[in-house]
Amino acid sequence: MKEKLKIIPLGGLNEIGKNMTVIEYGGDIVVIDCGVAFPDDDMLGVDLVIPDTTYLKRNINKLRGYVITHGHEDHIGAIPYVLRECNAPIYATRLTCGIIETKLSEHRMPQKVKLNHVRAGDTIRLGCFRIEFIHTNHSIADSVALAITTPLGTILHTGDFKIDLTPVSGEMIDLVRIGELGKKGLLALMSDSTNVERPGYTPSEKIVGKSLEKFILESDQRIIIATFASNVSRLQQILDIAARAGRKVAVCGRSMEKISRVATELGYLKDTGKVMIDISEIRRYARSQLIIVSTGSQGETMSALYRMAYGSHKQVEVNAGDRILIAASAIPGNEKSINNMVNELYKQGAEVIYDRSAAIHVSGHACQEDLKLMLGLCKPKYFIPVHGEYRMLVQHAGLAREMGVNPKNILITEIGRPVEISENSARLGNPVPSGRLLVDGLGIGDVGTAVLRDRKHLSEDGLLIVVVTVDATTGVVIAGPDIVSRGFVYVKEAEALMEELRTISQMALDRCSVENLRDWNSLKTAIKGDVSDYLFKKTKRSPMVLPIIQEI
């Protein structure tokens, strides 16, 4: 009897980002992608969110390798963190490997990571799996889908994709090969759900080039274009337009500089018109001769455009007359910071073009008709929607039903819940350890729910510290109670309240003395309880109360 094939999502379901999927059969595991998510507003102080890989650690002897679909952060960003404990060879296309290599060198990995370059069309064998890399279109070059042949049949994982019939560089998505796999019979299709709510087809990236050219050629001012750093095709179009317009192009922003350097070295970005200059050289040219391509399309506080807007960028100062094109759509949750940044740019006298009707951005993800085409070509036995929030997965399941997939064979799962496929059936299995690990500075996973709750409490209500010095032998108060306030009230303007709090704290200590309670925990609990109750009655606020007992 054959083993069950397990598809275990460790990220990327019921969320956008953090994409990571385990494929397991018998004694072999391969992992598709290894991405990060960016923290929600309530994750105060958190830098990144990565998948919980406890299941991988427990099955490290089965791990044969990581296969990566493309070089976006939500697919490769967790590699430096995950590979510290779950090291295995990585297989990815050249540009993706180049970006991963740069990332690993920045993180100074303690052990060697084996990076293997593959091309679209290549096939590799990892354990019992045969994996074919299939060329797709996306908003970053060198993106691939994965056809994973297992002892029970072939799974197609689309990765992030769109169907671009006229891509800026390279060929259109290899629909011929996908159709051949569908004709042979696909066991399962795992398909990108990001844009499932949008009807119609996703426009070609070439449309953006035409719109950008119009906005650049009709202006005699300096142009600043904010876009995603990873969109090499868009940067290529800007270089080509600049050559025709007689302008020079400088890239600005750490990630933009990094990716443009890697893409140029590997031949994905070609400066045939010799228009690229270093950002430090812009003062040598008239403003009408310049195009600056910048990070910051999402209003990120450390990005180049954000710093320009608030006047803190060292090399670029926004002036009246500058034409700024924001060639990106807002990722949900970023709208407020983008609007604030745009307001600041307007205050500097710049002209800002960011409206969708300007057609200076198209998505890298397939819309409904493209998704239907993928389903029609694949004709899978089982369908598993991936890469999306729950409503997106449900809507994608609806498209699959429209396209003739048996409703019983459509499996909407969640992070940590395996899809178990046997010879004649498929079902959702028992959950495995999973979830999210929060990265804060150098700490990985040491910030949990309790710490976030404390940070939220501190940010909303502030902190009140009660300092008391007691005699170690007698328990008699020698000094204090002294009150220190941070983020609650300004002490100099609330002397009466501070005095009342000292009295309340002293009364709590006296009560402990009468009841012969001398251990620190009892003293702290008494002070904290009495002070908190009094403050809520008096101010209707609940700051964090932190008693500190010192013994002499």
Side-chain angles (χ1 to χ4, degrees):
M1 184 177 165
K2 287 187 176 175
E3 299 256 6
K4 284 179 181 170
L5 173 67
K6 293 180 184 175
I7 299 168
I8 310 168
L10 294 181
L13 294 185
N14 303 331
E15 63 182 357
I16 300 293
K18 198 158 66 66
N19 298 292
M20 188 178 196
T21 306
V22 170
I23 311 289
E24 179 178 359
Y25 185 89
D28 296 306
I29 282 176
V30 294
V31 178
I32 301 170
D33 292 334
C34 187
V36 297
F38 294 101
D40 298 332
D41 290 342
D42 60 349
M43 295 179 188
L44 302 169
V46 172
D47 300 324
L48 295 169
V49 185
I50 65 173
D52 183 336
T53 52
T54 303
Y55 185 78
L56 267 190
K57 288 176 211 162
R58 290 180 185 172
N59 293 277
I60 192 73
N61 59 320
K62 295 183 180 183
L63 181 57
R64 304 292 167 249
Y66 297 84
V67 283
I68 309 296
T69 59
H70 65 282
H72 278 152
E73 284 294 304
D74 57 334
H75 293 259
I76 64 167
I79 285 173
Y81 303 101
V82 170
L83 265 69
R84 287 172 194 274
E85 294 181 303
C86 302
N87 199 350
I90 295 172
Y91 298 85
T93 52
R94 279 177 70 234
L95 180 61
T96 308
C97 276
I99 297 168
I100 293 170
E101 214 161 349
T102 307
K103 187 173 285 295
L104 292 173
S105 65
E106 284 175 359
H107 280 260
R108 296 193 180 96
M109 287 292 286
Q111 73 264 58
K112 183 120 178 85
V113 175
K114 194 173 178 191
L115 275 173
N116 300 278
H117 293 197
V118 294
R119 290 181 181 173
D122 286 355
T123 301
I124 61 168
R125 186 171 279 281
L126 295 176
C128 67
F129 303 109
R130 196 173 80 250
I131 300 160
E132 181 184 349
F133 296 81
I134 300 168
H135 173 70
T136 59
N137 306 129
H138 186 41
S139 53
I140 186 170
D142 246 3
S143 298
V144 288
L146 304 168
I148 303 173
T149 301
T150 76
L152 290 181
T154 301
I155 304 164
L156 181 71
H157 190 296
T158 65
D160 286 355
F161 81 100
K162 67 188 278 188
I163 295 172
D164 194 337
L165 304 179
T166 55
V168 173
S169 57
E171 298 178 356
M172 64 173 271
I173 182 173
D174 193 350
L175 294 177
V176 173
R177 182 59 187 143
I178 291 167
E180 285 171 356
L181 289 166
K183 219 166 194 180
K184 283 182 191 171
L186 273 180
L187 177 67
L189 171 65
M190 302 172 72
S191 185
D192 174 19
S193 309
T194 310
N195 262 2
V196 71
E197 294 173 305
R198 293 192 192 177
Y201 299 91
T202 305
S204 170
E205 180 65 28
K206 278 235 169 109
I207 288 171
V208 175
K210 289 173 185 170
S211 299
L212 288 174
E213 185 161 34
K214 170 180 160 285
F215 284 117
I216 290 168
L217 293 180
E218 70 182 21
S219 174
D220 59 357
Q221 298 291 333
R222 183 173 64 176
I223 307 279
I224 299 172
I225 303 172
T227 189
F228 293 114
S230 58
N231 200 329
V232 176
S233 297
R234 193 161 297 169
L235 183 53
Q236 182 67 64
Q237 291 192 97
I238 293 166
L239 292 181
D240 296 343
I241 295 163
R244 293 195 290 276
R247 288 182 181 250
K248 295 293 182 184
V249 176
V251 296
C252 187
R254 192 163 157 267
S255 55
M256 185 75 73
E257 290 165 14
K258 184 172 68 179
I259 288 181
S260 64
R261 187 179 65 249
V262 171
T264 303
E265 285 169 6
L266 296 175
Y268 291 90
L269 190 63
K270 296 178 176 71
D271 183 16
T272 49
K274 300 284 182 281
V275 298
M276 283 193 88
I277 60 169
D278 191 84
I279 192 72
S280 61
E281 299 177 73
I282 61 172
R283 296 191 189 283
R284 290 167 41 189
Y285 296 88
R287 303 177 73 76
S288 59
Q289 290 179 281
L290 290 171
I291 297 174
I292 296 170
V293 186
S294 161
T295 56
S297 63
Q298 299 303 306
E300 310 96 313
T301 50
M302 296 303 289
S303 66
L305 186 61
Y306 187 93
R307 284 182 284 133
M308 290 177 208
Y310 286 87
S312 61
H313 197 282
K314 289 177 182 174
Q315 287 145 318
V316 184
E317 193 177 311
V318 174
N319 293 104
D322 283 344
R323 172 171 275 190
I324 298 174
L325 309 175
I326 299 180
S329 56
I331 294 169
N334 292 346
E335 296 88 352
K336 189 177 179 184
S337 53
I338 294 171
N339 290 339
N340 289 343
M341 180 180 73
V342 169
N343 285 329
E344 290 300 320
L345 291 167
Y346 270 114
K347 286 177 189 175
Q348 311 278 5
E351 174 198 9
V352 188
I353 297 163
Y354 58 100
D355 189 61
R356 185 174 281 180
S357 61
I360 52 174
H361 176 67
V362 294
S363 176
H365 298 271
C367 291
Q368 286 177 5
E369 298 306 312
D370 303 312
L371 295 172
K372 284 190 208 168
L373 179 56
M374 181 62 74
L375 281 155
L377 285 171
C378 291
K379 296 184 176 65
K381 182 176 181 182
Y382 300 108
F383 177 64
I384 305 160
V386 293
H387 299 181
E389 295 174 7
Y390 190 75
R391 68 182 188 282
M392 300 170 184
L393 306 181
V394 170
Q395 288 181 50
H396 205 169
L399 290 186
R401 283 194 298 275
E402 277 182 47
M403 295 302 296
V405 179
N406 185 339
K408 291 179 183 174
N409 290 352
I410 299 170
L411 299 123
I412 297 175
T413 186
E414 59 193 33
I415 291 172
R417 191 92 189 269
V419 172
E420 295 180 350
I421 302 175
S422 56
E423 283 193 88
N424 301 311
S425 65
R427 68 180 187 90
L428 299 183
N430 295 324
V432 305
S434 63
R436 63 190 189 188
L437 292 178
L438 307 181
V439 178
D440 185 358
L442 296 175
I444 304 168
D446 56 352
V447 174
T449 308
V451 173
L452 286 180
R453 193 168 55 238
D454 283 351
R455 287 182 181 181
K456 191 167 188 293
H457 190 175
L458 287 166
S459 72
E460 290 173 349
D461 299 306
L463 171 68
L464 201 79
I465 302 170
V466 182
V467 184
V468 181
T469 306
V470 297
D471 187 301
T473 51
T474 63
V476 174
V477 175
I478 299 168
D482 295 318
I483 311 294
V484 181
S485 167
R486 289 290 181 272
F488 171 57
V489 290
Y490 185 50
V491 173
K492 287 184 180 176
E493 293 175 3
E495 280 296 344
L497 178 61
M498 293 299 114
E499 200 51 54
E500 287 165 9
L501 293 176
R502 286 188 196 96
T503 305
I504 296 290
S505 302
Q506 185 62 59
M507 287 167 64
L509 290 167
D510 292 345
R511 193 176 69 251
C512 288
S513 180
V514 170
E515 294 171 8
N516 207 25
L517 298 170
R518 291 193 180 178
D519 64 287
W520 281 16
N521 280 342
S522 298
L523 297 177
K524 284 181 177 181
T525 303
I527 293 170
K528 188 176 181 179
D530 289 11
V531 168
S532 295
D533 289 349
Y534 178 79
L535 280 173
F536 189 74
K537 283 174 192 163
K538 187 87 174 169
T539 67
K540 288 290 181 283
R541 284 191 271 171
S542 302
M544 182 180 287
V545 177
L546 191 64
I548 296 176
I549 313 288
Q550 300 178 99
E551 280 190 339
I552 292 179

